[in-house]
Amino acid sequence: MSTSDIGAQYATGLSRQSIERALTAAGKDVGHLAPADLGPLEDFHTLGRIATGQLAELARVTGADRVLDAGAGIGGTARFLAATYGCQVAAVDLTGEYCETAGWLNKLTGLDDKITVRQADVTDLPFADAAFDVVTSQHVQMNVADKARLYAEARRVLAAGGRLALWDIAAGEPGEIDFPLPWADQPERSHLVSAPRLRAAIEAAGFTVDHWADLTGDAATLMEAVISARAFARAPLGLHAFVPGFAVKAANLTQGLASGRLRVIQAVALAGGAPGPRDGSS
């Protein structure tokens, strides 16, 4: 997926304005925001804050860790980790608009001293070898065709023994899935692989899988409850505040999960040995 494709998929030119309107409508004082105020609208992945919290616990994040949030969106995971654990977090995303919005929200919540934001490609990270102890990646690889390069870069920037924490969607049972989806308005922008192929790509990059769980059932149940209650439509704060067509995208995702054609994987992998070459080749 090219930079222009990513921009077409996610950038609207209105993210910051839409989020500011939503915060005001929810009765929040934009000049005095607590990190928790943003919880309902900043987690661009299934199970939201629940998934982020569980993944951080599984990855054993501490305040001493150097953390990279690779594919950070508007920075929800980075802010959660910085606020909860007090760690320093680098956040990268390919969409410039999301990076600008993340930086703005970091300042509003008083976390800009804990988080740095850079516009960057997760397959070509602008960091030195072994620069981090933890890399988090939530619902990112679905937009990345070159899984080998993606995970080679994650391994390169992790110190030996570092943790790669994943919360991702994989292809499931054969069959058509409906578009648009939260990560792809059209099939050409989606790069799903099966869970076994995803795991194989991670292991081939020099990782040992420490935890691997299929949580499709949990994700489908929660999504079905949200869709049936239309809770997101009534609440001012939520992804619908800045994601165009969110209701349809969420419904298609829910159907894909319920049918088993989409799977949700939670994983932690440990970096072993020396990092591979920069280009991800063997």
Side-chain angles (χ1 to χ4, degrees), residues 21-204:
R21 283 196 299 270
L23 288 168
T24 301
K28 305 295 183 182
D29 182 352
V30 177
H32 298 83
L33 285 180
D37 290 334
L38 299 175
L41 63 73
E42 64 184 359
D43 294 311
F44 202 179
H45 48 263
T46 54
L47 289 181
R49 185 52 51 86
I50 296 171
T52 303
Q54 288 181 347
L55 196 61
E57 291 181 5
L58 287 168
R60 302 181 299 280
V61 176
T62 73
D65 284 325
R66 303 162 297 166
V67 181
L68 170 64
D69 187 17
I74 63 168
T77 296
R79 282 187 292 277
F80 172 80
L81 295 174
T84 304
Y85 298 98
C87 51
Q88 292 290 324
V89 185
V92 302
D93 199 271
L94 192 57
T95 303
E97 180 179 322
Y98 278 7
C99 292
E100 293 170 6
T101 302
W104 168 65
L105 291 172
N106 293 344
K107 289 181 180 179
L108 292 182
T109 54
L111 292 170
D112 51 314
D113 62 330
K114 293 284 188 182
I115 305 168
T116 59
V117 181
R118 297 178 68 170
Q119 184 178 4
D121 187 334
V122 292
T123 67
D124 188 19
L125 293 168
F127 302 108
D129 295 356
F132 298 99
D133 305 298
V134 178
V135 171
T136 62
S137 180
Q138 298 190 91
H139 288 19
V140 174
Q141 59 80 33
M142 301 99 74
N143 285 139
V144 180
D146 192 345
K147 313 293 186 196
R149 187 178 177 98
L150 168 67
Y151 295 120
E153 275 293 89
R155 173 62 195 91
R156 182 184 65 78
V157 301
L158 274 171
R163 292 91 75 199
L164 172 64
L166 299 168
W167 176 243
D168 259 315
I169 292 180
E173 297 296 327
E176 296 295 323
I177 53 176
D178 294 327
F179 288 84
L181 288 161
W183 66 91
D185 290 336
Q186 51 194 268
E188 294 76 16
R189 292 178 177 164
S190 181
H191 299 285
L192 294 177
V193 296
S194 68
R197 285 183 61 192
L198 183 63
R199 180 168 181 157
I202 294 166
E203 291 175 333

